[in-house]
Amino acid sequence: MLMISLLLCSSVRSQLTTDFYSKTCPTLPSIVRRQVQSAIKTEMRMAASLLRLHFHDCFVNGCDASVLLDGDNTTEKFSAANVNSARGFEVVDAIKTAVENTCSGVVSCADILAIASRDSVLLSGGPTWKVLLGRRDGTVSSAAQANAALPSPFEALDQIIQKYTNVGLNITDVVSLSGAHTIGLAKCSTFDNRLFNFSGTGAPDSTIEMSMLADLQSFCPANGDRNRFTALDRNSTDLFDNHYFKNLVNGKGLLGSDQILYSSDLAASTTKSLVERYSQDSKLFLNDFVNSMIKMGNISPLTGSNGEIRKNCRAVNS
Ligand code: HEM
Ligand SMILES: *[C@@H]1O[C@H](CO)[C@@H](O)[C@H](O)[C@H]1NC(C)=O
Ligand SMILES: *[C@@H]1O[C@H](CO)[C@@H](O)[C@H](O)[C@H]1NC(C)=O
Ligand SMILES: *[C@@H]1O[C@H](CO)[C@@H](O)[C@H](O)[C@H]1NC(C)=O
Ligand SMILES: *[C@@H]1O[C@H](CO)[C@@H](O)[C@H](O)[C@H]1NC(C)=O
C-alpha cells in the first residue's frame, strides 16, 4: 500500500516540463520528427513498434530507457513480453545519432522514446500533444522486473487492472491506452490459445465473432507457424482511430486481453461502458488517450542529478 501511494504521489508531482530542451537542443522536436517520418516511410508498422517500446519502458522501473539496454538474458529485452517481439531498437539508435550530431550529450534516450511515441501516433493519423521532458536514463535493466510488471495477453482483467494500478494508472487508463492496439501487429502465439481449445474447454473462445474466428483458425492452424503476424485492428491497421473499440463491441478483439475489456464478467462493472463510449465517440477516446499517455510518461522519471544522459541508448555510460 505504502509503495503504491508513493508511486501515485511521484507520478502526480512530476518535475518534467515541455520546454526542458528549448535552450540546450531547440531543434530536438524536428530532428526526432524527421527520423520517425523516414522510418515509417520504410515500414509503416514502425510507428506501432516505437509506441509499444515507450509503454514497455515506462511500466518497468519508470520511463528510464531501461528497455533499450543490451545485455545478457537477465535484461528486459529477454523478458517474456519483449523477447522476439519488442522491435524498433535500430530506429531509436538512428534518432539518437541524429540528436547527438546536433546536441551532444544532453538529450536522454527516455525522452527520445517519449517524443518518438507522440510522433508515431500523430503520423498514424492520431492526435498530438506536448510531450513532458526532462527524464534521465537509468542504469538497470531487469527481465524479472519486466516479467512482473508488464501485462500478458493471457491474463484475467483483474490482474491487468492491478498491473496498471501498480504504476499509478487507473481503469480509464487501462481502456484508453489499450486503444494503442488500433495500430500494429501480433503473432499467432499471442492469441492462438483462443482459437481451438480455449482454457481446456475443448472449444474456441466463445467471445470471438464467427467469421473472424474462421479466418484466424486458417491463418494460425494448430501445429502451424506461430510467428505469423496479423493486424491487431483488422479494419484499419495503420490508422490511429477508435476502430479498435468498435471491434471489441463486435467480438473482433484479437488478443484475449483486448476482448475481455468488453466481454468478461468483471468488464461489466469496470471497463465495458468506457469501451462502448469510445466506440461511439472518437473525440472522447483520442482526448483520454492523450491524457493517459502523459500520465504513463510520468511514471517515476529520474530527474535532476539522478540517472544519466546515455551516450549510446544500448549501454550505460562507462
Ligand atoms: C493489457 C495490456 C496489454 C497487453 C496484454 C498487450 C499485449 C500485446 C501483445 C501480445 C502484442 C503483440 C506482440 C507480438 O506479437 O510480438 C502487442 C502489440 C502492441 N502493443 Fe500491446 N499490450 C497491452 C497494452 C498496450 C499499451 C498500453 C500500449 C501502448 C500505449 C500497447 C501498444 C502496442 C502496440 C502499438 C503493438 C503493436 C506493435 C508492433 O506492431 O510492433 N499495448 N501488445
Ligand atoms: C541465461 O543464460 C545462462 C548462461 O548463459 C543460462 O544458463 C540460462 O539458462 C539462461 N536463462 C534463460 C532464461 O534463457
Ligand atoms: C483516472 O484518472 C483520471 C485523472 O488522471 C481521472 O480523470 C479519471 O476520472 C480516473 N478514472 C477513474 C475510473 O477513476
Ligand atoms: C483441451 O485441453 C484440455 C486440457 O488442456 C484437454 O484435457 C482436452 O482433451 C482438450 N480437448 C480437445 C478437444 O482437444
Ligand atoms: C471498416 O469499418 C467500416 C465501418 O465502420 C466499414 O465501412 C469498412 O468496410 C471496414 N473496413 C474493413 C477493411 O473491414
Side-chain angles (χ1 to χ4, degrees):
M1 269 312 288
L2 180 65
M3 221 184 85
I4 289 170
S5 44
L6 281 175
L7 265 171
L8 271 169
C9 282
S10 66
S11 66
V12 169
R13 254 190 303 104
S14 162
Q15 302 154 342
L16 305 179
T17 56
T18 56
D19 62 355
F20 189 80
Y21 297 108
S22 63
K23 295 228 166 58
T24 53
C25 194
T27 55
L28 176 63
S30 54
I31 298 172
V32 177
R33 179 71 53 88
R34 198 172 328 115
Q35 293 293 322
V36 173
Q37 221 150 15
S38 134
I40 287 175
K41 210 171 146 199
T42 306
E43 185 200 24
M44 191 61 217
R45 182 188 174 195
M46 191 49 69
S49 305
L50 292 171
L51 173 57
R52 186 170 186 237
L53 276 186
H54 181 49
F55 158 52
H56 283 199
D57 180 28
C58 291
F59 265 58
V60 185
N61 209 24
C63 312
D64 66 346
S66 52
V67 70
L68 301 179
L69 289 172
D70 281 342
D72 62 16
N73 64 8
T74 65
T75 59
E76 284 181 36
K77 285 181 180 177
F78 291 86
S79 65
N82 287 329
V83 71
N84 300 320
S85 179
R87 61 200 295 282
F89 299 107
E90 296 78 10
V91 172
V92 176
D93 292 338
I95 302 172
K96 176 67 168 172
T97 300
V99 169
E100 288 296 306
N101 285 343
T102 307
C103 324
S104 183
V106 296
V107 180
S108 69
C109 297
D111 279 345
I112 285 176
L113 277 183
I115 304 170
S117 296
R118 185 272 312 272
D119 289 354
S120 293
V121 169
L122 176 64
L123 295 170
S124 300
T128 190
W129 63 94
K130 286 201 156 75
V131 181
L132 289 167
L133 299 168
R135 300 169 191 81
R136 291 167 64 85
D137 298 323
T139 53
V140 247
S141 175
S142 156
Q145 260 187 352
N147 284 330
L150 291 173
S152 132
F154 313 117
E155 276 179 319
L157 184 54
D158 61 336
Q159 296 171 296
I160 289 173
I161 291 173
Q162 185 60 55
K163 288 185 172 173
Y164 279 72
T165 309
N166 290 346
V167 293
L169 300 180
N170 67 21
I171 286 176
T172 307
D173 303 312
V174 171
V175 181
S176 66
L177 290 173
S178 294
H181 289 174
T182 177
I183 55 173
L185 308 180
K187 295 199 237 0
C188 291
S189 59
T190 64
F191 59 84
D192 61 6
N193 64 313
R194 308 178 68 206
L195 302 182
F196 301 102
N197 186 357
F198 180 56
S199 305
T201 57
D205 183 338
S206 64
T207 63
I208 309 182
E209 186 272 336
M210 293 305 290
S211 71
M212 187 172 95
L213 173 64
D215 203 55
L216 293 176
Q217 284 175 331
S218 73
F219 189 78
C220 308
N223 308 314
D225 176 5
R226 301 185 75 213
N227 288 316
R228 290 184 83 185
F229 283 103
T230 191
L232 282 157
D233 170 7
R234 298 162 76 79
N235 184 280
S236 47
T237 308
D238 295 330
L239 182 64
F240 199 99
D241 63 4
N242 69 335
H243 224 103
Y244 167 83
F245 297 102
K246 295 182 196 281
N247 292 340
L248 298 188
V249 169
N250 293 318
K252 293 184 176 180
L254 185 66
L255 307 179
S257 52
D258 293 324
Q259 194 58 47
I260 55 171
L261 298 175
Y262 183 78
S263 303
S264 64
D265 290 340
L266 181 58
S269 60
T270 54
T271 51
K272 183 179 180 179
S273 61
L274 203 48
V275 169
E276 277 168 339
R277 289 173 67 202
Y278 289 162
S279 75
Q280 290 162 5
D281 188 343
S282 161
K283 271 200 180 133
L284 179 69
F285 161 55
L286 298 176
N287 185 67
D288 284 5
F289 179 79
V290 164
N291 288 331
S292 296
M293 281 296 288
I294 292 168
K295 270 173 88 172
M296 185 175 85
N298 260 326
I299 299 173
S300 339
L302 295 167
T303 55
S305 57
N306 295 319
E308 62 182 20
I309 303 300
R310 253 178 241 158
K311 292 188 173 66
N312 169 350
C313 291
R314 293 174 181 267
V316 299
N317 297 341
S318 47

